[in-house]
Amino acid sequence: MTTLASGLFLDWEQLTGQTKLVMDLISFPIFSAIAGWLTNWTGVLMLFWPVRFRGFRIPGLEILYPYFPRRVQVLPTFSGDGRQLGFQGFIPARAEKMASICVDKALMRIGSPRDFIHELDLEGIADYIAEVGRKQVPSMVNEIMYRENPDIWRAVPSAARNVLYQRIERELPTLARRAFEQLGDNVDQLIDIKDFVIRYLREHPEILKDLTTTIAAPELKFMVKIGLLGAPFGVLLALYMNVHKDIPVVGWLPGWLMILSATAAIGVIVNVIAVKVVFEPGDPQPRYKYLWKQALLAKRQPEAAADLATILAYQVLTLPNLSRELLEGPNGDKTRQLLERLIAQEIHRQLGVTHTVIRAAFGRRQFDNLTIGAADAAAGLAPTLVADEEFAATQAKKIEEFAARKLKQLTPGEFMEMFYASVEQDAWLLYLHGAALGLGVGIVHLILFGW
């Protein structure tokens, strides 16, 4: 068996006058620390970047892609259609899965959609809509009537029009409050909060990136720094290599193979330690089970819960997003039907004694069209509500306080579960990455220092 006494470019023992053991005790810890730090730093970077898939097309890849194992197909190295080879950050690439986990582990434990809606100032929202709507009543009624009954509306005297405007304006606050009260009671049927959050985060993967980097910022820095733990493993490797050839059976294996195996293992070990210390255990445990007793992130639950609540309130469960989902989401037709029914009933009541006269003048069909048209127009008032940034921010503050209060009530174990559940499923990718980088650093060491 041939043993390389020095690197390919320099004879370090002759240059320094030191023995191979001394050189190994110096070089192995340095390179192992570099391997550990580089592994964890790039691993954290790969969690989030790039947010969108970046790659290049490989001719014929789309033909082979369907035959790859499912575990290979879902790697973030392939585009969704299997036509391109490249990379996307682990978390953005798993946006749909992580969003589903986030909803199941976090949102569903915080409260139902009804809970969120009722945390808003419904009466304040209703009054705001009424104030905005009062200014739009004449144009809204004119638009409805010119669309549904243009000839009849032109024939209606101005005095009669003004009466209709005034009655609707006067009753609009009551109408808005009743509509929102009933909307809040039926919101579970009108919005699928899980489906909404999954679709929204899938379309905006950058939010998942912001969520993790904001909530776990100190822990991510720790994950990078703990990579330097590779140094003491390097010392052990140096001591082992000094006696490797004297060990029966194992000593028959070439030194370069042992070094590469060890550096790859160090890359994995420092990654495992970083993930475990940050995410396990949620609830405090005895020292004999976990030397660090409790996950670092779990120790900061109140602060992390507040950060998570802020992101949920100001980026996901916002008033504009919820309003848009209620009116334009998969169940938007149900929302409009509810509003249509309420507003139709209110318009009949508001017309009061003029009901019979107007119905006779317009005709049964035209009057029925009036109520349907009014419902569609009223639904159109919602965007004006969320256009007021100050008002929307006030409502977001209520959601933030509610979510933070609920998240802080979770046990540390429950709180950590919703974070670790998403990381755990893709942890093997980080470990594989650590092994590859450790192997690369080991090759560089062999080239420089031999074996």
Side-chain angles (χ1 to χ4, degrees), residues 210-228:
D210 293 342
L211 186 150
T212 311
T213 54
T214 298
I215 294 173
E219 288 71 30
L220 293 176
K221 293 179 181 178
F222 167 81
M223 290 178 70
V224 174
K225 292 179 181 177
I226 203 174
L228 298 175

Side-chain angles (χ1 to χ4, degrees), residues 225-362:
K225 292 179 181 177
I226 203 174
L228 298 175
L229 189 61
F233 288 111
V235 173
L236 295 178
L237 176 59
L239 295 174
Y240 171 80
M241 292 304 299
N242 187 55
V243 298
H244 169 66
K245 292 184 293 184
D246 299 328
I247 300 176
V249 182
V250 178
W252 298 346
L253 297 175
W256 62 266
L257 178 61
M258 299 304 299
I259 291 174
L260 292 181
S261 299
T263 53
I266 290 172
V268 174
I269 291 171
V270 293
N271 245 325
V272 171
I273 292 175
V275 171
K276 297 296 184 182
V277 172
V278 169
F279 296 105
E280 289 188 44
D283 297 312
Q285 299 293 324
R287 292 284 186 187
Y288 68 86
K289 288 187 176 181
Y290 292 90
L291 292 177
W292 52 93
K293 292 191 67 175
Q294 188 179 22
L296 294 182
L297 186 56
K299 294 178 181 178
R300 291 196 314 107
Q301 180 179 348
E303 181 182 346
D307 291 337
L308 176 56
T310 299
I311 291 175
L312 289 176
Y314 289 93
Q315 296 192 52
V316 182
L317 298 172
T318 65
L319 196 57
N321 288 346
L322 291 175
S323 299
R324 192 177 302 111
E325 180 69 10
L326 283 169
L327 293 172
E328 302 174 7
N331 296 323
D333 57 333
K334 295 181 180 179
T335 305
R336 292 179 181 275
Q337 289 172 9
L338 171 63
L339 292 174
E340 178 179 322
R341 184 173 67 253
L342 288 173
I343 295 174
Q345 293 170 358
E346 275 306 310
I347 287 181
H348 278 274
R349 192 185 69 81
Q350 290 167 12
L351 291 176
V353 295
T354 64
H355 177 176
T356 303
V357 176
I358 295 179
R359 187 164 187 154
F362 289 172

Side-chain angles (χ1 to χ4, degrees), residues 4-321:
L4 198 65
S6 60
L8 294 180
F9 306 105
L10 290 174
D11 187 335
W12 294 96
E13 295 175 39
Q14 181 179 359
L15 181 65
T16 61
Q18 301 295 328
T19 65
K20 188 175 188 308
L21 174 60
V22 172
M23 293 308 304
D24 285 348
L25 286 172
I26 295 174
S27 63
F28 275 124
I30 293 176
F31 273 75
S32 296
I34 292 174
W37 180 87
L38 188 62
T39 292
N40 286 11
W41 176 67
T42 55
V44 169
L45 190 64
M46 289 170 64
L47 284 174
F48 315 106
W49 186 88
V51 175
R52 306 283 178 179
F53 182 86
R54 295 183 183 179
F56 52 91
R57 185 169 181 178
I58 303 293
L61 181 61
E62 68 272 17
I63 299 176
L64 298 175
Y65 181 77
Y67 298 99
F68 292 162
R70 177 60 182 168
R71 180 173 284 266
V72 174
Q73 289 181 345
V74 299
L75 289 175
T77 52
F78 297 102
S79 59
D81 56 9
R83 294 175 178 269
Q84 297 185 62
L85 185 66
F87 191 74
Q88 183 180 13
F90 294 153
I91 289 178
R94 301 288 186 266
E96 185 169 348
K97 180 175 70 176
M98 294 191 67
S100 178
I101 294 172
C102 180
V103 172
D104 289 337
K105 302 296 183 182
L107 295 184
M108 291 299 99
R109 293 186 180 184
I110 294 175
S112 68
R114 183 182 302 174
D115 295 327
F116 282 109
I117 291 295
H118 282 291
E119 281 299 313
L120 297 173
D121 181 5
L122 293 180
E123 291 189 356
I125 293 174
D127 292 342
Y128 182 84
I129 287 181
E131 182 61 29
V132 173
R134 181 176 290 110
K135 302 173 184 177
Q136 299 182 13
V137 163
S139 61
M140 182 181 71
V141 173
N142 288 336
E143 177 186 349
I144 294 167
M145 294 309 303
Y146 279 126
R147 183 177 65 246
E148 303 291 348
N149 305 275
D151 295 333
I152 296 177
W153 190 241
R154 290 189 187 98
V156 174
S158 297
R161 293 187 186 186
N162 290 333
V163 169
L164 182 58
Y165 298 155
Q166 292 170 5
R167 292 185 65 84
I168 294 177
E169 288 178 7
R170 186 169 59 250
E171 297 297 331
L172 202 54
T174 302
L175 169 62
R177 289 194 178 196
R178 284 184 55 198
F180 264 81
E181 287 174 3
Q182 188 162 345
L183 182 63
D185 291 338
N186 291 273
V187 71
D188 292 281
Q189 302 173 23
L190 301 179
I191 181 172
D192 185 334
I193 198 73
K194 180 174 182 177
D195 179 67
F196 158 65
V197 173
I198 290 174
R199 281 188 289 104
Y200 190 79
L201 292 181
R202 184 177 60 223
E203 296 168 0
H204 302 84
E206 64 277 1
I207 293 180
L208 278 174
K209 168 183 172 293
D210 293 342
L211 186 150
T212 311
T213 54
T214 298
I215 294 173
E219 288 71 30
L220 293 176
K221 293 179 181 178
F222 167 81
M223 290 178 70
V224 174
K225 292 179 181 177
I226 203 174
L228 298 175
L229 189 61
F233 288 111
V235 173
L236 295 178
L237 176 59
L239 295 174
Y240 171 80
M241 292 304 299
N242 187 55
V243 298
H244 169 66
K245 292 184 293 184
D246 299 328
I247 300 176
V249 182
V250 178
W252 298 346
L253 297 175
W256 62 266
L257 178 61
M258 299 304 299
I259 291 174
L260 292 181
S261 299
T263 53
I266 290 172
V268 174
I269 291 171
V270 293
N271 245 325
V272 171
I273 292 175
V275 171
K276 297 296 184 182
V277 172
V278 169
F279 296 105
E280 289 188 44
D283 297 312
Q285 299 293 324
R287 292 284 186 187
Y288 68 86
K289 288 187 176 181
Y290 292 90
L291 292 177
W292 52 93
K293 292 191 67 175
Q294 188 179 22
L296 294 182
L297 186 56
K299 294 178 181 178
R300 291 196 314 107
Q301 180 179 348
E303 181 182 346
D307 291 337
L308 176 56
T310 299
I311 291 175
L312 289 176
Y314 289 93
Q315 296 192 52
V316 182
L317 298 172
T318 65
L319 196 57
N321 288 346

Side-chain angles (χ1 to χ4, degrees), residues 39 260 263-265 267-268 271 430-440:
T39 292
L260 292 181
T263 53
V268 174
N271 245 325
L430 289 176
Y431 304 154
L432 180 63
H433 162 74
L437 266 182
L439 189 64

